[in-house]
Amino acid sequence: MPNILPIKIERPNQYMLKTTWTTNEEFVILLSVLRENCPCAQCQGETIMGTHYAFPMLQIAKPGQNSLKQIVPVGNYALQFFWEDEHTTGIYTWEYLYSLCTSYSLRSDEIEKLLESERQKS
Ligand SMILES: [Zn+2]
């Protein structure tokens, strides 16, 4: 996957992330999907000397865990997400982010449905 980079990162609302890439592709994914796939050692477990250690207790949902406080670029290769529950150790490289986007991107009718239910709530 040579040089696929994000051109634009947007937050259309509280729970979606929209990304635009150098391939001219656009993806909208749910923040909860990003959080569930947090690549940090705490969330994914850690492999030490060939043994994989998982941390299943961290699967318990915490308030604010799918809400984003801030997105900060890391060098020119990744984004770091700051979540409302103070979890900040997830570094999402372009390659990882792109693979999540292509795997989990919402179809336009799904986005429309979500926005519609949002409008009805308010
Ligand atoms: Zn994590």
Side-chain angles (χ1 to χ4, degrees), residues 70-90:
Q70 216 185 343
I71 305 173
V72 177
V74 181
N76 55 3
Y77 72 94
L79 291 178
Q80 184 173 7
F81 289 88
F82 290 73
W83 302 94
E84 290 287 352
D85 64 351
E86 307 299 330
H87 191 70
T88 62
T89 42

Side-chain angles (χ1 to χ4, degrees), residues 53-69:
Y53 297 91
F55 301 89
M57 65 283 194
L58 289 170
Q59 302 295 325
I60 300 162
K62 281 181 268 177
Q65 87 165 12
N66 295 331
S67 305
L68 261 185
K69 231 186 229 178

